[in-house]
């Protein structure tokens, strides 16, 4: 079938490491901004008019907000909805991680495509999490002394969102030092019922001395969670594995 393509300009600022989320009103994109392609200038948050884009409207808008390099948000991820869409008007949630202090940050993006000046991008809250160390050396691999990047300074794609009958949920992950320079996956399930977001469960998955990193986590409509990741060591070629848990399993565990 046919499809549409749009091109949007970011001027002299390079929109690096783009990450996407699908939402009822828009497609949301987070980027790391580099002035003239060289100097980090903070994150950019962009919302694209999904309704207009689905009809091929050549004037489909992009609404953008930029945070300065001094802002703690780095490599934020927009919420990406699986299953049932949340109610109309629900903001998109941009999440990011900090290691000093150890926390998750959540920002709300309200896009108003009818009156773009009414759009907002605000810091909603900071959630303290169990202490972790992102001071993880690069990852060894079999057959060479060359190592691969551990990527411990950011959340790994994607921030998956699900709407359930009695709550909303988001699942996230990033790479940490799980001890003795072994990389492990720190993962979270956040929940929101009638109030604010909170950490429902969290843990670091590192069952042996192999390095696990660059994870990707998702939840199905029953609340079961799957976690895929890369794995390597000095006696193993880089490979891909996965683990998971059922919704009724003991909290904070991959079973």
């Amino acid at each position: 079938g046919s499809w549409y393509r749009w091109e949007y300009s970011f001027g002299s600022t390079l929109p690096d490491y783009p990450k996407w989320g699908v939402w009822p009103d828009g497609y949301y994109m987070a980027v790391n901004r580099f002035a003239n392609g060289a100097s980090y200038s903070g994150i950019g948050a962009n919302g694209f008019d999904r309704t207009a884009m689905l009809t091929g409207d050549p004037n489909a808008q992009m609404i953008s907000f930029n945070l300065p390099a001094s802002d703690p948000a780095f490599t934020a991820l927009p919420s990406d909805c699986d299953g049932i869409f949340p109610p109309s008007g629900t903001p998109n949630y941009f999440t990011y991680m900090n290691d000093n202090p150890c926390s998750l940050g959540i920002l709300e993006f309200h896009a108003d495509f009818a009156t773009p000046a009414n759009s907002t991008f605000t810091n909603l809250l900071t959630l303290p999490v169990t202490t972790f160390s992102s001071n993880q050396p690069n990852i060894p691999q079999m057959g060479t002394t060359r190592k691969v990047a551990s990527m411990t300074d950011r959340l790994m794609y994607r921030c998956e969102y699900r709407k359930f009958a009695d709550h909303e949920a988001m699942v996230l992950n990033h790479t940490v030092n799980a001890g003795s320079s072994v990389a492990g996956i720190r993962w979270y399930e956040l929940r929101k019922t009638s109030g604010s977001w909170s950490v429902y469960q969290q843990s670091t998955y590192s069952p042996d001395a192999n390095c696990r990193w660059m994870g990707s986590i998702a939840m199905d409509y029953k609340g079961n969670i799957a976690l895929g990741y890369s794995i390597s060591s000095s006696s193993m070629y880089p490979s891909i594995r996965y683990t998971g848990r059922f919704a009724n399993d003991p909290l904070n565990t991959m079973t």
Side-chain angles (χ1 to χ4, degrees), residues 2-236:
S2 61
W3 49 280
Y4 305 105
R5 182 177 68 178
W6 287 264
E7 180 178 300
Y8 296 89
S9 174
F10 294 83
S12 62
T13 301
L14 171 70
D16 184 51
Y17 204 74
K19 297 292 176 279
W20 290 86
V22 177
W23 211 242
D25 62 337
Y27 302 118
Y28 288 83
M29 181 181 74
V31 297
N32 294 330
R33 301 166 51 246
F34 286 86
N36 299 313
S39 176
Y40 176 65
S41 305
I43 70 162
N46 308 278
F48 301 84
D49 189 342
R50 179 174 180 267
T51 300
M53 295 177 85
L54 289 174
T55 64
D57 186 344
N59 298 311
Q61 295 185 71
M62 174 180 70
I63 296 173
S64 297
F65 291 93
N66 297 322
L67 298 182
S70 58
D71 194 278
F74 175 68
T75 313
L77 298 180
S79 49
D80 185 30
C81 183
D82 284 352
I84 300 170
F85 273 145
S88 177
T90 301
N92 190 271
Y93 301 104
F94 279 57
T95 59
Y96 60 93
M97 52 86 59
N98 269 323
D99 58 5
N100 186 24
C102 294
S103 59
L104 295 174
I106 303 179
L107 302 109
E108 285 189 337
F109 194 148
H110 286 270
D112 187 333
F113 294 106
T115 309
N118 291 339
S119 302
T120 58
F121 184 59
T122 57
N123 197 345
L124 176 62
L125 79 165
T126 300
L127 299 175
V129 300
T130 303
T131 301
F132 61 84
S133 172
S134 60
N135 184 19
Q136 168 61 42
N138 287 332
I139 310 297
Q141 53 182 329
M142 189 168 75
T144 179
T145 58
R146 188 180 296 261
K147 297 183 178 182
V148 291
S150 55
M151 302 283 285
T152 60
D153 61 347
R154 65 197 67 189
L155 292 173
M156 290 287 100
Y157 193 56
R158 59 192 171 99
C159 173
E160 191 228 18
Y161 168 98
R162 273 197 181 270
K163 176 76 171 68
F164 293 89
D166 60 348
H167 71 277
E168 301 167 79
M170 293 192 293
V171 288
L172 301 155
N173 83 101
H174 59 95
T175 305
V176 299
N177 186 328
S180 301
S181 297
V182 173
I185 305 289
R186 170 61 67 86
W187 61 273
Y188 309 92
E189 179 186 352
L190 310 184
R191 286 195 178 187
K192 184 178 185 292
T193 52
S194 58
S196 299
W197 288 99
S198 62
V199 179
Y200 179 69
Q201 59 175 327
Q202 59 183 311
S203 187
T204 297
Y205 184 67
S206 180
D208 55 40
N210 295 314
C211 287
R212 291 165 170 82
W213 84 110
M214 288 184 66
S216 182
I217 192 168
M219 174 184 287
D220 70 10
Y221 73 100
K222 292 185 177 181
N224 307 316
I225 294 176
L227 172 66
Y229 53 87
S230 298
I231 185 170
S232 185
S233 72
S234 58
S235 59
M236 175 190 298

